[in-house]
PDB file of all heavy atoms in Angstrom:
ATOM      1  N   GLY B  23     -14.779   9.061   8.744  1.00  0.00           N
ATOM      2  CA  GLY B  23     -15.630   7.940   8.756  1.00  0.00           C
ATOM      3  C   GLY B  23     -16.193   7.651  10.187  1.00  0.00           C
ATOM      4  O   GLY B  23     -17.347   7.377  10.457  1.00  0.00           O
ATOM      5  N   LEU B  24     -15.206   8.102  11.280  1.00  0.00           N
ATOM      6  CA  LEU B  24     -15.713   7.688  12.592  1.00  0.00           C
ATOM      7  C   LEU B  24     -16.079   8.937  13.285  1.00  0.00           C
ATOM      8  O   LEU B  24     -16.430   8.860  14.485  1.00  0.00           O
ATOM      9  CB  LEU B  24     -14.601   6.978  13.352  1.00  0.00           C
ATOM     10  CG  LEU B  24     -14.264   5.611  12.698  1.00  0.00           C
ATOM     11  CD1 LEU B  24     -13.232   4.975  13.601  1.00  0.00           C
ATOM     12  CD2 LEU B  24     -15.527   4.635  12.733  1.00  0.00           C
ATOM     13  N   GLY B  25     -15.950  10.163  12.703  1.00  0.00           N
ATOM     14  CA  GLY B  25     -16.306  11.383  13.500  1.00  0.00           C
ATOM     15  C   GLY B  25     -15.418  11.549  14.734  1.00  0.00           C
ATOM     16  O   GLY B  25     -15.896  11.893  15.715  1.00  0.00           O
ATOM     17  N   MET B  26     -14.138  11.435  14.596  1.00  0.00           N
ATOM     18  CA  MET B  26     -13.215  11.261  15.806  1.00  0.00           C
ATOM     19  C   MET B  26     -13.240  12.580  16.625  1.00  0.00           C
ATOM     20  O   MET B  26     -12.849  12.444  17.834  1.00  0.00           O
ATOM     21  CB  MET B  26     -11.891  10.925  15.468  1.00  0.00           C
ATOM     22  CG  MET B  26     -10.992  12.033  14.849  1.00  0.00           C
ATOM     23  SD  MET B  26      -9.465  11.382  14.334  1.00  0.00           S
ATOM     24  CE  MET B  26      -8.668  12.986  13.765  1.00  0.00           C
ATOM     25  N   THR B  27     -13.674  13.752  16.120  1.00  0.00           N
ATOM     26  CA  THR B  27     -13.577  14.872  16.989  1.00  0.00           C
ATOM     27  C   THR B  27     -14.828  14.932  17.892  1.00  0.00           C
ATOM     28  O   THR B  27     -14.739  15.636  18.875  1.00  0.00           O
ATOM     29  CB  THR B  27     -13.779  16.244  16.085  1.00  0.00           C
ATOM     30  OG1 THR B  27     -14.898  16.201  15.254  1.00  0.00           O
ATOM     31  CG2 THR B  27     -12.521  16.309  15.251  1.00  0.00           C
ATOM     32  N   GLY B  28     -15.682  13.932  17.797  1.00  0.00           N
ATOM     33  CA  GLY B  28     -16.862  13.765  18.715  1.00  0.00           C
ATOM     34  C   GLY B  28     -17.739  14.957  18.715  1.00  0.00           C
ATOM     35  O   GLY B  28     -17.497  16.082  18.088  1.00  0.00           O
ATOM     36  N   PRO B  29     -18.968  14.900  19.352  1.00  0.00           N
ATOM     37  CA  PRO B  29     -19.880  15.910  19.386  1.00  0.00           C
ATOM     38  C   PRO B  29     -19.540  17.093  20.156  1.00  0.00           C
ATOM     39  O   PRO B  29     -20.277  18.175  20.114  1.00  0.00           O
ATOM     40  CB  PRO B  29     -21.164  15.070  20.009  1.00  0.00           C
ATOM     41  CG  PRO B  29     -20.528  14.046  20.889  1.00  0.00           C
ATOM     42  CD  PRO B  29     -19.263  13.647  20.136  1.00  0.00           C
ATOM     43  N   SER B  30     -18.530  17.021  21.069  1.00  0.00           N
ATOM     44  CA  SER B  30     -18.241  18.166  21.980  1.00  0.00           C
ATOM     45  C   SER B  30     -17.475  19.299  21.391  1.00  0.00           C
ATOM     46  O   SER B  30     -17.216  20.319  21.914  1.00  0.00           O
ATOM     47  CB  SER B  30     -17.534  17.762  23.222  1.00  0.00           C
ATOM     48  OG  SER B  30     -16.237  17.005  22.911  1.00  0.00           O
ATOM     49  N   CYS B  31     -16.691  18.997  20.097  1.00  0.00           N
ATOM     50  CA  CYS B  31     -15.830  19.881  19.506  1.00  0.00           C
ATOM     51  C   CYS B  31     -16.290  20.279  18.001  1.00  0.00           C
ATOM     52  O   CYS B  31     -16.729  19.244  17.287  1.00  0.00           O
ATOM     53  CB  CYS B  31     -14.392  19.448  19.515  1.00  0.00           C
ATOM     54  SG  CYS B  31     -13.813  19.159  21.117  1.00  0.00           S
TER      55      CYS B  31
END
Side-chain angles (χ1 to χ4, degrees):
L24 297 180
M26 70 181 186
T27 57
S30 60
C31 301

